[in-house]
Amino acid sequence: MLKFPTPTPIDAILPELLEALKAHPSAVLQAPPGAGKTTRVPLALLDLPCLSGQRIVMLEPRRLAAVNAARFMARMLGEEVGGTVGYSIRFERKVSRATRIEVVTEGILARRLQSDPLLEGVGAVIFDEFHERNLASDLSLALVRDVQGGLRDDLRILVMSATLDAEPVARLLGDAPMLTSEGRRFPVEIRYQKHEPAGRLPELATRAVKTALAESSGDILVFLPGAGEIRRCERQLKDDLGDSLIIAPLYGDLPFAAQELAIMPGPKRKVVLATNIAETSLTIEGVRVVVDTGYSRQLRYDPGTGLNRLEVMRISAASAEQRAGRAGRVAPGTCYRLWTEHTQRTLLPYTPPEILVSDLAPLALDLALWGVNDPASLSWLDAPPPAHLAEAKALLTQLGALEPRGALTPLGKRMAALPMHPRLAALLVAGEAIEEGSLACTLAALLSERDLVPAGGGALSDSDLVDRMEALARKAEGSKAVERAATYFRRALGMTGGSPATADPAVVGELLLKGYPDRIAKQRAPGSDRYLLANGFGGKLSGRTALRDQPFLVAIEVAGGGTEAEIHLASAVSLDAIRRSFARSITRGRRVFWDEREARVVTREEERLGALVLSERQANPSPEEAALALTEGILAGPGIAGLPWSETARQYRNRVRFVAEALPEEELPDLSDQALAERIGEWLAPHLSGVRSLAQLSRVDLLGALKGMLTWKEQKLVDDAAPTHIAVPSGSRIAVEYPEHGAPFLAVKLQEMFGLAETPRLARGRVPVVIHLLSPARRPIQVTADLKSFWNSGYLEVKKELKGRYPKHPWPDDPWAAQATRQLKKRR
DNA sequence: CTCTCCCT
């Protein structure tokens, strides 16, 4: 056994662990941070006889941690790293023939499993920090377990974790033995709030920092959700406390030098305002006090939109414990939790694992390469959610990596071999095909590395990717990492050389289209910053950008959801490039519809891609299309009552209604507004040829159209039973009025009716017409349905009254004998 | 308060 300079709590449990792994192929070791498991356990495993001559691979979630662990172990052995102990991380590999312990980061193992599914020469795989439940470690465990259950039953699996509830993993590993070790940590006193605090996080944190400064000693670490909150809190503390303290922000996008300032001990008491980066990734020396707001930003994948959403959410109890532990590294400490003990009991026990909440496209591609069609054939701690997986497969199909049935295509196989997200792999392969591989590598690197930071600090505000290319050319902060990744990608493609000096924005757009085919966006109106995305959702450009001039974009980073997402990064793309890339998915169609505002039929020929109309032009509708759209427009707008009916047509409808009511046995058709609306396609549509607008409806012979609803026989019946005119004794033909409601009537001058005893009748004699007798000036005198009694009695009264007023008109004493006339009295 | 953190 090796001699370590200081004993750690883990030492006591090592013999037991070795025994467990002799008896069982798997084991679970639960030990809090600081117990020494990362360095002690792999070295101890070297003594296992069943591993003799075989390599131990240990998985670390972070590159820095992997390198540090390897270096530390090599030093314990008195060797250089790369001897018995080596490491492999993204850009670096330090291993040799002699290497027995290889520390790798998570992506490396997933990749190696694909090229060497039997893990030739590997005797044990250790999953360190498994409680973080990253996507790659969940996938790797499922695959390694698959290997162990198949051809490698000798393979040892050891899962090490800090806070994870060990029971489910042990069960997953075939009831593996569980071992627990104490940590080596100083006690941390937890202080809760008495009442749930109200207010904004930066203000609450500022107040808590002041309390902590007064109550405790040592440096203070404050956990806030993001850079915005950190800046606000920093400003308040500086305003209130001045230069008595060092206020150090700490978050991932901060330049390296600023991060150093936060991590290293300073000359004065220090307050570090940090994001989650300080929860696991970075350790700050000298912290005795933690102020925890209890919130963090968490990425949520929405399978409905295929977009990610960054949300401020309450942290889990496990996360709160990890944060509090940061106060007990050097001495007993204090943790101020800005929530109540009651709220503490409502926290989720663990942060949801990535496999449940993130984009599964990379996992789906790896599964396809592994030959797994149904993920249920592997064992998972948490199975990938079917809806997320379906969305991921849909994307991979669109990228050309999967056949519709789910099998891997040759392109998919090629993509899976490239060390990046499938979107970027598709971009790279496409770039290679058009001899723009080098540019494609630079683009992929820009999109996969941390965003560049301009020289003056702050963030790049332009959402145009071409702006990022220019910042890269100017060597903005972060350029080195991007160049390194680009070089790495070029090597993966078998290329040499550096980034191209200039890039044609048109080529940039075209390449991005290949990786983000689902993210085409069309400007809603010229000059607008609002776009419609191909998935049917809206997006708004963020930042000041020249992209506003662009009718089409590829939206690369889209955050949000709800009604309108935020497009943080995009690139212009030409319509021609879209047409070239999506020739097979673009549909051409005609749409004939009623434009309500212009009150006319509009015909558009459209080129569509998903929810997007790529182009459109006006066209002429066929008579049938126009008639259909116009009738829809009539019903939606003015309705039947609003049609330009002539008086004759109106009367005709009333006549038909009158006959229908008076002679129900004839069963005449119903011409009411409602009936005409229901049958508009039948009676009106055939008469609309050449009509495109409401205004043009006046050209239509509505009466003719109406008559089309009646057979010839029925038309004849209407003419007979409801004549338009009736001849009176004077010889005049007087129009019969058919009102909308009530009985038909005849308005006629009294003098024209002399001698007529029988009231004329309509509807085969069933209904008497009502007579409105008029004065010579056409004023109504009398309304009657019984002429005979009028001549006998009422007439004399009328004559007495009116004779003086109309002396030129005949007023005979005997109306029975008088000649009916339209004329005045004959001149003598 | 424009966008947490990692990794092939």
Side-chain angles (χ1 to χ4, degrees):
Chain A
M1 224 32 201
L2 283 153
K3 285 278 176 277
F4 285 95
T6 47
T8 70
I10 209 81
D11 295 338
I13 212 165
L14 288 175
E16 205 184 324
L17 178 65
L18 294 183
E19 286 311 305
L21 281 172
K22 276 179 198 161
H24 198 280
S26 307
V28 178
L29 171 60
Q30 189 178 348
K37 59 186 184 313
T38 301
T39 50
R40 297 301 208 268
V41 169
L43 289 171
L45 259 53
L46 284 177
D47 294 340
L48 266 183
C50 59
L51 295 183
S52 77
Q54 297 200 85
R55 197 171 270 187
I56 297 163
V57 170
M58 178 165 72
L59 214 60
E60 282 295 321
R62 275 164 290 281
R63 297 205 281 255
L64 191 64
V67 175
N68 284 345
R71 284 192 182 140
F72 187 85
M73 286 188 278
R75 199 157 60 236
M76 289 302 98
L77 297 173
E79 295 180 11
E80 290 293 305
V81 74
T84 307
V85 184
Y87 65 85
S88 294
I89 61 171
R90 189 176 198 191
F91 302 115
E92 248 180 297
R93 186 162 155 79
K94 289 214 165 158
V95 291
S96 63
R97 238 167 228 266
T99 301
R100 297 276 323 278
I101 297 171
E102 182 181 3
V103 189
V104 303
T105 36
E106 290 175 333
I108 297 269
L109 180 64
R111 200 132 300 278
R112 186 169 301 173
L113 276 163
Q114 298 288 10
S115 57
D116 176 18
L118 291 183
L119 289 176
E120 217 81 54
V122 175
V125 180
I126 304 173
F127 292 82
D128 195 20
E129 314 279 12
F130 188 75
H131 59 273
E132 291 191 16
R133 298 294 308 279
N134 299 322
L135 189 57
S137 62
D138 265 22
L139 173 64
S140 299
L141 183 63
L143 298 187
V144 171
R145 176 76 183 135
D146 197 34
V147 175
Q148 188 191 47
L151 297 164
R152 286 293 313 273
D153 57 0
D154 62 311
L155 187 67
R156 295 297 192 269
I157 299 175
L158 173 60
V159 171
M160 303 200 295
S161 118
T163 55
L164 180 75
D165 179 7
E167 196 91 40
V169 199
R171 242 194 334 268
L172 187 80
L173 295 174
D175 291 321
M178 288 183 286
L179 296 99
T180 305
S181 162
E182 292 307 311
R184 185 190 53 183
R185 223 176 47 177
F186 295 98
V188 174
E189 184 202 343
I190 307 287
R191 294 194 190 168
Y192 290 99
Q193 304 295 301
K194 283 209 173 61
H195 307 285
E196 201 55 45
R200 303 196 331 173
L201 291 181
E203 281 75 12
L204 296 176
T206 304
R207 212 181 316 147
V209 166
K210 288 181 193 163
T211 308
L213 284 168
E215 290 178 358
S216 341
S217 60
D219 289 348
I220 299 174
L221 170 60
V222 186
F223 284 102
L224 288 149
E229 291 90 347
I230 287 175
R231 279 194 293 270
R232 197 177 165 85
C233 189
E234 181 186 13
R235 215 174 308 128
Q236 286 172 17
L237 286 173
K238 279 189 172 150
D239 286 351
D240 295 357
L241 303 170
D243 295 337
S244 58
L245 297 164
I246 298 172
I247 315 284
L250 179 62
Y251 49 91
D253 278 340
L254 218 52
F256 186 70
Q259 289 194 8
E260 287 277 276
L261 181 77
I263 295 166
M264 293 307 181
K268 283 188 268 190
R269 198 174 182 191
K270 188 168 68 176
V271 179
V272 178
L273 309 174
T275 60
N276 248 352
I277 195 171
E279 190 177 307
T280 48
S281 305
L282 295 178
T283 300
I284 300 147
E285 303 298 328
V287 169
R288 300 276 309 275
V289 181
V290 163
V291 172
D292 188 356
T293 59
Y295 287 90
S296 70
R297 281 209 165 72
Q298 292 171 35
L299 197 65
R300 285 294 126 101
Y301 175 73
D302 179 357
T305 58
L307 299 179
N308 289 318
R309 215 172 42 243
L310 205 50
E311 279 180 2
V312 176
M313 301 181 78
R314 266 212 194 272
I315 60 173
S316 65
S319 186
E321 194 190 331
Q322 172 76 15
R323 288 178 171 190
R326 296 306 209 171
R329 293 183 61 87
V330 287
T334 313
C335 175
Y336 295 84
R337 287 183 173 165
L338 303 190
W339 61 93
T340 60
E341 272 193 277
H342 176 264
T343 300
Q344 172 67 23
R345 289 193 290 273
T346 69
L347 297 184
L348 285 177
Y350 304 103
T351 310
E354 271 185 4
I355 199 167
L356 294 184
V357 294
S358 61
D359 168 22
L360 295 183
L363 178 122
L365 186 57
D366 275 331
L367 287 181
L369 186 62
W370 195 253
V372 167
N373 230 337
D374 177 12
S377 62
L378 297 178
S379 8
W380 306 91
L381 219 40
D382 291 285
H388 296 208
L389 206 53
E391 185 72 20
K393 284 182 179 173
L395 174 64
L396 291 175
T397 309
Q398 212 179 355
L399 291 173
L402 296 184
E403 282 167 4
R405 287 250 188 96
L408 202 64
T409 62
L411 171 61
K413 198 164 182 186
R414 181 90 210 285
M415 283 164 58
L418 293 172
M420 62 197 72
H421 190 281
R423 287 186 188 274
L424 301 180
L427 188 158
L428 233 62
V429 175
E432 200 181 28
I434 60 166
E435 305 202 335
E436 291 282 1
S438 181
L439 173 60
C441 288
T442 301
L443 288 173
L446 262 172
L447 297 181
S448 57
E449 293 304 299
R450 216 175 251 294
D451 203 3
L452 301 173
V453 179
L460 288 169
S461 63
D462 199 312
S463 35
D464 189 349
L465 185 67
V466 173
D467 186 62
R468 297 296 198 281
M469 299 281 287
E470 284 163 8
L472 185 67
R474 288 197 307 270
K475 305 258 183 286
E477 171 99 22
S479 296
K480 244 189 230 163
V482 171
E483 285 299 352
R484 188 163 67 149
T487 305
Y488 181 69
F489 294 159
R490 280 184 202 109
R491 212 172 302 142
L493 286 184
M495 300 175 62
T496 52
S499 288
T502 56
D504 178 354
V507 180
V508 171
E510 182 148 9
L511 287 176
L512 288 167
L513 218 45
K514 306 294 188 179
Y516 297 81
D518 54 331
R519 298 283 186 81
I520 300 170
K522 188 193 178 201
Q523 198 169 36
R524 289 190 190 268
S528 165
D529 58 355
R530 305 169 73 126
Y531 286 77
L532 180 66
L533 296 164
N535 63 9
F537 288 82
K540 193 171 172 297
L541 271 178
S542 71
R544 299 174 305 278
T545 168
L547 285 177
R548 264 168 240 280
D549 302 334
Q550 295 296 332
F552 291 99
L553 299 179
V554 188
I556 299 156
E557 274 178 39
V558 186
T563 51
E564 198 166 51
E566 193 97 353
I567 302 173
H568 292 296
L569 197 60
S571 180
V573 65
S574 72
L575 182 52
D576 275 348
I578 295 172
R579 286 195 178 119
R580 276 198 301 277
S581 283
F582 298 98
R584 269 187 296 172
S585 328
I586 290 175
T587 56
R588 283 180 181 73
R590 280 161 85 71
R591 211 155 58 88
V592 181
F593 60 96
W594 180 252
D595 183 326
E596 207 158 325
R597 253 191 37 222
E598 294 194 22
R600 61 186 199 90
V601 176
V602 175
T603 308
R604 291 239 172 86
E605 279 183 359
E606 295 174 333
E607 191 184 10
R608 298 182 75 96
L609 178 62
L612 296 185
V613 176
L614 296 180
S615 70
E616 58 182 9
R617 60 181 196 89
Q618 302 282 351
N620 287 322
S622 72
E624 294 77 23
E625 288 172 330
L628 184 65
L630 185 60
T631 52
E632 279 166 7
I634 289 168
L635 296 184
I640 296 297
L643 289 174
W645 298 104
S646 66
E647 193 45 41
T648 319
R650 217 180 287 279
Q651 282 291 306
Y652 194 76
R653 290 177 70 192
N654 290 344
R655 288 164 65 204
V656 173
R657 185 191 47 76
F658 166 69
V659 177
E661 281 169 12
L663 305 171
E665 70 275 15
E666 296 293 344
E667 294 179 347
L668 285 187
D670 183 359
L671 298 193
S672 66
D673 284 358
Q674 195 191 332
L676 289 183
E678 282 166 8
R679 297 173 65 188
I680 193 165
E682 206 178 306
W683 70 274
L684 184 58
H687 292 79
L688 292 177
S689 94
V691 177
R692 304 278 166 76
S693 68
L694 288 182
Q696 290 169 338
L697 273 175
S698 56
R699 285 192 212 154
V700 175
D701 175 13
L702 289 177
L703 179 59
L706 271 183
K707 284 186 173 167
M709 304 258 304
L710 278 69
T711 62
W712 189 83
K713 227 176 118 194
E714 287 168 333
Q715 291 182 34
K716 192 82 177 44
L717 172 67
V718 171
D719 287 342
D720 293 343
T724 57
H725 293 79
I726 289 177
V728 293
S730 67
S732 296
R733 290 173 46 78
I734 305 292
V736 184
E737 295 285 336
Y738 294 87
E740 212 171 320
H741 304 286
F745 62 89
L746 200 64
V748 56
K749 278 190 276 185
L750 182 146
Q751 278 79 3
E752 299 200 52
M753 297 295 269
F754 289 147
L756 187 65
E758 287 305 318
T759 309
R761 302 182 82 85
L762 302 170
R764 293 183 185 140
R766 276 188 213 179
V767 181
V769 68
V770 176
I771 310 289
H772 291 202
L773 289 166
L774 306 177
S775 74
R778 301 197 67 85
R779 293 267 154 73
I781 301 169
Q782 184 87 25
V783 174
T784 180
D786 183 358
L787 274 176
K788 201 184 210 163
S789 70
F790 172 72
W791 295 133
N792 287 339
S793 55
Y795 170 70
L796 293 174
E797 279 300 304
V798 169
K799 176 190 164 191
K800 215 193 296 174
E801 203 178 306
L802 297 180
K803 189 175 178 178
R805 213 187 299 169
Y806 303 105
K808 287 181 186 164
H809 296 263
W811 297 99
D813 294 334
D814 180 1
W816 293 111
Q819 175 70 45
T821 180
R822 299 177 275 210
Q823 312 289 322
L824 301 177
K825 276 196 275 192
K826 280 196 184 117
R827 292 244 171 101
R828 308 248 163 155

